[in-house]
Amino acid sequence: MSVDAATVRKIATLARIAIKDEEVPPLVGELNQILDWVEQLGEVDTDGVMPMTSVADITAPLRTDAITDGQKEAAVLDNAPDAREGHFTVPKVVE
Amino acid sequence: MAEAEAKLVEGATGSWEVIIGIECHAQVASNSKLFSGAATEFGADPNSQVSLVDAAMPGMLPVLNEYCVEQAVRTGLGLNSAINKQSVFARKNYFYPDLPQGYQISQFELPIVGEGEIVLDLAEGAQRTVGIERLHLEQDAGKSIHDQDPALSFVDLNRSGVALMEIVSKPDMRSAEEAQAFLKKLRTIVRYLGTCDGNMEQGSMRGDINVSVRRPGEELGTRAEIKNVNSFRFVGQAVEYEVGRQIDLIEDGGEVQQETRLFDPRSGETRSMRSKEEAHDYRYFPDPDLLPLVLTDEFIEGIRATLPVMPDQKKARFIEQFGLKPYDAGVLAGDKASSDFFEKVVEGRDPRLVANWVTGEFFGSLNKLGVEIEDAPISADNLGELIDMISDDTISGRNAKDVLDIMLETGDAPGKIVEEEGLKQVTDTGAIEAIVDEVIAQNPDKVAEVKEKPKLAGWFVGQVMKASQGKANPAAVNKILAEKLGL
Amino acid sequence: MSQLIDLDIAGARDALAKGECSSEELTNGYLEAIDAAKALNAFITVLPGKAIEMAKESDVRRKAGEVGALEGIPLAIKDLFCTEGVLTTAASHILDGFTPPYESTVTANLWGQGAVLLGKTNLDEFAMGSSNETSYYGPVRNPWSMEGAADGLVPGGSSGGSAAAVAANLCAGATGTDTGGSIRQPAALTGTVGMKPTYGRCSRWGTIAFASSLDQAGPMTRTVRDAAIMLGAMAGHDAKDSTSIDTPVPDYEAAIEGGVNGLTIGVPEEYRVDGMPKEIEDLWHQGIEWLKAQGAEVKTVSLERTKYALPTYYIVAPAEASSNLARYDGVRYGLRVPGDDITGMYENTRAEGFGAEVKRRILIGTYVLSAGYYDAYYLQAQKVRTLIAQDFAEAFVDVDLILTPTAPEPAFGIGSKTDDPLSMYLNDVFTVPASLAGLPGISVPAGMSASGLPLGLQLIGKAFDEETVLRGGYALEQAAGFSGKPSPWWRS
């Protein structure tokens, strides 16, 4: 399966990464090189094989329902590029 | 009970069938969040109930809350659903400022609860069974506030990570009324179970309504999704509007777009959300930070053993055991606190009398005061005592209403109030006779008139009641008057 | 002063215990060496003030009789571990200024055992790379150099800064992380010891995530004994990490001298790849002989799906990374580049904040998870991964350890492979399979290339059998007697 410029742009949009026009052709080339290479996985017969869910052979550990966290606005907000009035801010979102 | 017949909507060019499915998001009643130990309570200071995990700081990891799992299983059992012993948490990837991780931890291919059903209570005792497709656990997102600043949106992550149960119905509903009934019943069930407080104003329960229309017998039409409707009234309005919009659109030669819409309560209309992601590709994959959730039979049966009697069963029992009318039975069974209260009061008493008083005067007074039954200032015992006093004629029905009002104000026992206010009903026939004689003596012209107009006896009753300050037993008054007036 | 930095962890532990030096003296020695080694670019952040403060506190504790397993030992920490109050960058522009208000569990464990923080080492951006050339802070130079390599040699990656720091005696030991070989391969290229424990052995909490089902923290040291000492301190269950395993941490140091007499070593035939340099193959044979001489039995094993490991890795890791890196969006920490609207801000921030390799992997990852491609790529890769793990499980029925080369070639010139991402990926060919299976692996310096550069051998063990891996590693180390140290050309 290979990608074209339109697909690369679409993926970049899904991934929220701006790409300039001149960056597209080299990306198409690089991605296709990698995708062509991983294509060989299709050769492997995986009928009846379960996908690996985890390397560790355990199931989900569970936690007691206690309030053990929060009340740390400073820790949560201090690294923010633009926090105001106890909130994170972003360019206005129009719904 | 026969299934309700599907109603059709008349368009300009013929009849239309309405197909509705609902995805309900119900916040799990728990102390802490689904994957973090921050608190879940509504109304806290912004970003004060946010852990580093909720804020998606680098290197943070989720740990599953056992109680949220229990609550989901409990809800599934209350929906008569299959519980999946193995389920998987998956990441739903998309970008939005109230979604700090850039993905929501949800469940995709293997949800914790499978198929089930709910019975809707419709008008005039009609019912419809609506299928439940699945229930899964997922994280709620934070809140974005868009009206604080012209150029900025403000983000509060308190809600980010709170556990949600997403309950997906099958597209079995056929009208706005049924959509409302579905949410109402679902709300009743989760409140009965204690798994969600069902508070739609606070957003702990909200519905995404999928609406489409088709000619009867034809293929399903394209559906539009009305997101985040948070009151029953709005559900009804939104569906009505959307059905009309779609029918008009199609009859005018247009096509319904598969899209997300918002209901605007001010205009009563739905409008399309400006969507940046035309095609939502969420790229679901099992969350590698979490392992598959495996439930044992013991775990599930342990929860089943703690289930309360559910509203449908309660209602049936109230009808059968107490002979209540279906409407009254439904009202009482519709809320666990109410049915618990009723069951306490009804013990050893006439169920219909109790039902009348509880659903009538008592609920009416609570409504007027704006008080929930859980916070009622009157105990079941006290209300029971009041009803006893009516049954044994200690006070008249009319005075009982006054006593109730005073009980609501003071919280005092009815016996005490009746004593203090001197409201004991007068049943002593001698005393009543004396009052009747007095009234008759003072109104000879009316006495003559009543022989021709027997209905005038009512006036006499009123006068006797007034003279006795409402304490005379009405039945006795009627009897004595009838004798003395020769009726 | 300079002799103090010649002491490895075990040696320094001894000297400190005997009162031959203080932690403060030791720490000062390292700070001086680091300051003179800027040409290596091994560190992103150096913390002289904090280091001395911690060293002094350690000396005070020692006087009071409180001596942890790493008491007073100065360590370098890969800048992928969140360190409280200290800039943590993941070698990325997108984390400019990020100062975590929390400490990763692994580093907290080290400070809990009395260690001293010298600084944060350089790495490939977000741990994505095999040469430490993708760092926003510039490439790291391998302390080992070669005539004719004008720009210097790569130290390997992604834990290149840690590897270089260990090789150049800029710290007593360092932490690294290994997702596809990022501890083992740089250890091989710098003549040091690097160990990736079993997945789940060390907590991932507070370690910036690259690929969640593969990432694992581990020690990078001068000797196998030192690795055992450090691993003992780093490892342990963490309730905050759902993938962390709750089994006791054995005394790893006590295990290393167990010898290999009676152990069976497997040699996987599929690791003999086309075009493998002869000197690597020769060293591998040499390793076999060394272990035989010490009483081990050696047999050939087959790991049938080996050749699919690299492509499997380059689907699974980017897929997980594409999701793990979605949180870097300019909203709550790090770089923010303005945009016309929220989407523009996201797109500009991530375009400017991420380097080319990270972007490539995010795009690949996004693609292989996307609608229509999930089954053919991601799901298929996760199935092949199961088969690869099965291959190892079957082999380990008959053997206790598996011996392979660590890397397909010695350190190469900086800039020599950056035009060809795929050729860079091939560096991980021997290390990736153990990562996919979650198994522990160690790289031990075993010999020199014809060009005078270090070469390493890898031992892979059964899940949670780090003791046997360390035993085997120690035996190899003793046999190889690799004592080379690069001459300090970098000192200014």
Side-chain angles (χ1 to χ4, degrees), chain B residues 290-301:
Chain B
L290 293 165
L291 299 163
L293 177 62
V294 172
L295 306 175
T296 59
D297 284 327
E298 285 130 314
F299 182 85
I300 298 169
E301 294 314 309

Side-chain angles (χ1 to χ4, degrees), chain B residues 179-443:
Chain B
Q180 287 174 307
F182 176 83
L183 281 170
K184 279 195 184 134
K185 192 56 175 282
L186 189 54
R187 181 176 180 274
T188 298
I189 290 173
V190 296
R191 281 168 60 85
Y192 247 75
L193 295 167
T195 58
C196 172
D197 68 17
N199 188 328
M200 293 181 85
E201 282 102 72
Q202 287 182 358
S204 52
M205 200 170 121
R206 38 207 209 251
D208 294 344
I209 324 285
N210 290 298
V211 181
S212 69
V213 298
R214 67 172 176 191
R215 298 281 188 200
E218 281 186 15
E219 292 219 345
L220 288 174
T222 308
R223 59 167 192 204
E225 182 188 25
I226 311 170
K227 270 198 98 58
N228 284 336
V229 188
N230 64 352
S231 90
F232 298 129
R233 199 158 54 88
F234 294 166
V235 166
Q237 291 173 357
V239 168
E240 298 280 6
Y241 175 83
E242 183 60 19
V243 167
R245 182 191 78 87
Q246 289 191 12
I247 290 174
D248 287 346
L249 181 60
I250 300 172
E251 289 184 337
D252 284 345
E255 267 180 34
V256 175
Q257 297 298 310
Q258 182 172 347
E259 61 182 353
T260 311
R261 299 178 74 84
L262 279 181
F263 176 69
D264 180 357
R266 282 165 303 168
S267 63
E269 299 178 352
T270 64
R271 61 181 157 83
S272 183
M273 280 177 79
R274 206 189 77 172
S275 58
K276 290 137 283 197
E277 293 193 70
E278 296 79 17
H280 285 274
D281 187 349
Y282 294 120
R283 290 158 275 132
Y284 285 96
F285 70 104
D287 193 329
D289 288 331
L290 293 165
L291 299 163
L293 177 62
V294 172
L295 306 175
T296 59
D297 284 327
E298 285 130 314
F299 182 85
I300 298 169
E301 294 314 309
I303 294 170
R304 196 192 301 276
T306 68
L307 289 183
V309 175
M310 294 302 286
D312 288 347
Q313 293 139 305
K314 267 229 176 121
K315 178 177 168 185
R317 184 159 68 80
F318 287 172
I319 294 171
E320 206 191 289
Q321 188 183 344
F322 298 130
L324 297 189
K325 288 180 289 184
Y327 179 76
D328 288 346
V331 168
L332 287 168
D335 177 72
K336 188 159 189 299
S338 301
S339 63
D340 286 349
F341 189 89
F342 170 74
E343 284 181 287
K344 277 204 204 107
V345 178
V346 85
E347 225 182 284
R349 299 189 174 99
D350 172 2
R352 280 196 229 176
L353 182 60
V354 171
N356 271 340
W357 270 86
V358 170
T359 62
E361 287 298 322
F362 183 55
F363 280 177
S365 304
L366 289 184
N367 274 340
K368 264 196 226 140
L369 289 174
V371 169
E372 293 290 328
I373 189 158
E374 290 92 338
D375 306 318
I378 300 182
S379 69
D381 285 337
N382 280 354
L383 188 62
E385 207 191 304
L386 180 67
I387 292 173
D388 289 339
M389 292 171 92
I390 301 168
S391 295
D392 64 18
D393 283 335
T394 308
I395 53 173
S396 68
R398 227 222 74 184
N399 281 351
K401 293 181 192 183
D402 295 335
V403 173
L404 182 67
D405 287 339
I406 301 173
M407 282 167 76
L408 284 165
E409 252 176 80
T410 63
D412 281 340
K416 177 165 177 262
I417 296 169
V418 165
E419 282 295 329
E420 284 174 6
E421 303 289 324
L423 290 173
K424 265 216 177 100
Q425 187 169 232
V426 176
T427 47
D428 168 16
T429 45
I432 295 176
E433 277 193 39
I435 299 175
V436 168
D437 286 341
E438 170 105 33
V439 170
I440 286 176
Q442 288 184 359
N443 298 281

Side-chain angles (χ1 to χ4, degrees), chain A residues 53 58-62, chain B residues 34-35 64 68-70 72-73 82-90 105-114 134-138 286-287 290-296 299-300:
Chain A
T53 49
I58 56 176
T59 56
L62 298 167
Chain B
L34 184 56
F35 294 111
L64 183 56
C68 294
V69 174
E70 283 177 29
V73 171
I83 307 298
N84 293 327
K85 292 208 272 205
Q86 177 138 353
S87 64
V88 171
F89 287 98
I105 303 179
S106 175
Q107 296 188 298
F108 185 54
E109 287 175 337
L110 289 175
I112 186 170
V113 170
R134 55 187 266 158
L135 179 158
H136 69 251
L137 279 167
E138 62 181 25
D287 193 329
L290 293 165
L291 299 163
L293 177 62
V294 172
L295 306 175
T296 59
F299 182 85
I300 298 169

Side-chain angles (χ1 to χ4, degrees), chain B residues 55-56 58-59 62 91 93 100 281 289, chain C residues 102 204 206 242 323-324 332-333 371:
Chain B
R91 295 189 186 178
N93 298 279
D281 187 349
D289 288 331
Chain C
Y102 51 95
R204 291 185 300 113
S242 297
S323 182
N324 285 332
R332 287 148 292 113
Y333 38 78

Side-chain angles (χ1 to χ4, degrees), chain B residues 52 55-63 91 93 95-97 100-103 276 281 283-286 288-289 291, chain C residues 82 98 102 204-207 212 239-243 323-324 326-328 332-333 346 350 366 369-371 374 378:
Chain B
L52 303 170
M57 303 294 274
M60 290 299 101
L61 296 170
V63 185
R91 295 189 186 178
N93 298 279
F95 285 85
Y96 205 74
Q101 288 159 157
Y103 57 86
K276 290 137 283 197
D281 187 349
R283 290 158 275 132
Y284 285 96
F285 70 104
D289 288 331
L291 299 163
Chain C
C82 288
F98 174 59
Y102 51 95
R204 291 185 300 113
W205 194 89
T207 306
S212 316
K240 300 193 296 294
D241 173 0
S242 297
T243 60
S323 182
N324 285 332
R327 64 188 61 196
Y328 303 103
R332 287 148 292 113
Y333 38 78
Y346 285 150
R350 292 161 63 79
T366 306
L369 289 174
S370 65
Y374 176 85
Y378 188 78

